[in-house]
Amino acid sequence: MKNLYALALCILAIYPAQSQSPDIPHLEKKDGHFALIVDGMPFLVLGGQINNSSAWPATLPGAWSAAEAMHANTVEAPVYWEQIEPAKGSFDFSNVDLLVTQARQHKLRLVLLWFGTWKNGQNHYVPEWIKSDTKTYPREENAYGKLLDVMSPNSPANLDADKSAFAALLRHVKSIDAAQHTVIMVQVENESGSVGSIRDFSPAAQKQFDAIVPAEFARAMHLPTGGTWAKTFGPDADESFAAYSTAHYIGEVAAAGKAEYPLPMYCNVWFAYPVHALENRDRPSAGQEYPSGGPQQANIPIWKAAAPAIDILAPDFYSDDFSLFRTIVATYSRADNPLFIPESQFGANFGRYFFYALGHGAIGFSPFGIDHEQTPEVPNPEGTIAAAPFRAVNPAENYALFNPPGSEIAQLNLDGKLLTAVEDKGAARQSIHFTDADAVASFGFPQPDGTYPPGTSTLQGRAVVAQLGPLEFLVSGFDVSVSFTLPAAVLQHTPNQQLEILRAEEGKYVDGVWQTTRILNGDQTDRGLNFRGGNPPLVRIHLHTLPLYDEALHRNLE
Ligand code: DGJ
């Protein structure tokens, strides 16, 4: 009983939103898989982040139409501290009201981005009354005493000012949205950390650096207590101190907001990209190549220990390097951290990264800067739009496939039943393993009998396969043919069997109920399920097994 109580407390500490009200958007965890629950149903965030200065009345119309054009169900939009608190303690939430009202008119959900103390490792969104009073609201100083355009994370006055603004924001959101849940998550700060110095070297911060590491934090990190930062963290002391200070600050801001209205809260990450410039620079340097003290890869344990009110550390991804994307997905998918990609490029990689993240349990995905993008056709190397067999990638097609059925997809992910395959160089054929069948994804067309699939020129092939029941799957994708085989492990155990399609139904989910449009057969199934076009269907395929040989006949022949 005592253990059960301790377990319950532990779960509440990790996901405090769950305990507050069954209605409020919250995160749910089941057997190591996560979902964001909105209005009692799993919700897949098909997001689009608008540009930094677009959350204003003059620019919002373009944001909504861009989100609609890409079939998004959620818009990520900033809330500017300088705009909501133009004078200390005096708040103007008119822009927030506009965001919520217009999102509802466009049947979109919102993720609010709190541009508070930090925005891309700097302080550019703090109100003027803070910027101009560096005595009361101290800046971070570099090792030579230069005042930076970064607020000190070691200043109680800075923390109090941000906490009270953020709490006022959440109080207001609750007052206008507690019944409707248009706002489903909040990002606390934006790409926090410090650009320009590894940590704050101001005299006040130095005093904290020279002091003993807070015992509670040391214990949470399973480190010896009673040591200074230098003694406890050695060569990593400066950045660890910055990470603790930043995480603790933001954790307090989040907790103050949750005390008003406990929405799920996350921090987006400007992570440490590998340094390729010079061979001897084997390690990116904190405060130069990335903001020091933010929740970058190596700081995840510090952030988890120092900011328990933050539910998700969510990497922003800006690179064409697919293997780096896979590494980052693996790093931020943890038992204590749902995978959420709150920013990515909006180019040719959008579809493959989105599919890859989805197949690794992501609760959502969101390219950045949607309201400037024209959903361009991607030209081939000759500068013209590619003709068949290679299609140009249309970013909107990705979300169109899942909106609807976002809820069914999110539920399948929560149940651990959904997997994807994404084309890569030299991997135009891939197997997706389930216990009773393997789905084989072959990318690119045409696929003449007996030849290896050609792949696509832009590596845009992608497939999604979800298990609905024994030998029953939901399948779709782009530039891919999907067929099914019996897994080697199953055949080893029971060799005399083969797999056959019983029924392949093309259809859609309407209000959560599957509706068959037509039954596929012949050329539509004989060489796998083919998804060639830009608006692929969903196919529900039922397989069955039958003996490979008539055993009686076989025995007679022997
Ligand atoms: C990452 C930031 O989080 C965004 O607010 C924006 O500045 C983009 N970078 C621009 O690429």
Side-chain angles (χ1 to χ4, degrees), residues 49-52 113 115 119-120 125 187 190-191 268-270 316 318 343 368-369:
Q49 184 166 146
I50 62 176
N51 280 290
N52 288 166
L113 315 173
F115 283 12
K119 164 71 175 79
N120 297 19
Y125 286 82
Q187 177 187 294
N190 191 90
E191 292 189 344
N268 65 330
V269 189
W270 175 342
D316 294 342
Y318 289 93
E343 289 183 39
F368 174 82

Side-chain angles (χ1 to χ4, degrees), residues 22-95:
D23 291 323
I24 190 168
H26 61 274
L27 290 162
E28 195 167 300
K29 185 178 181 190
K30 184 175 151 195
D31 302 330
H33 304 280
F34 293 95
L36 172 65
I37 308 292
V38 177
D39 291 338
M41 308 268 283
F43 184 88
L44 177 66
V45 179
L46 302 170
Q49 184 166 146
I50 62 176
N51 280 290
N52 288 166
S53 305
S54 292
W56 289 92
T59 29
L60 271 179
W64 305 125
S65 52
E68 282 167 338
M70 68 181 288
H71 299 275
N73 60 18
T74 303
V75 165
E76 295 179 353
V79 175
Y80 317 113
W81 189 3
E82 62 183 353
Q83 195 272 334
I84 67 156
E85 196 181 5
K88 187 174 166 54
S90 144
F91 291 98
D92 169 5
F93 290 115
S94 51
N95 251 20

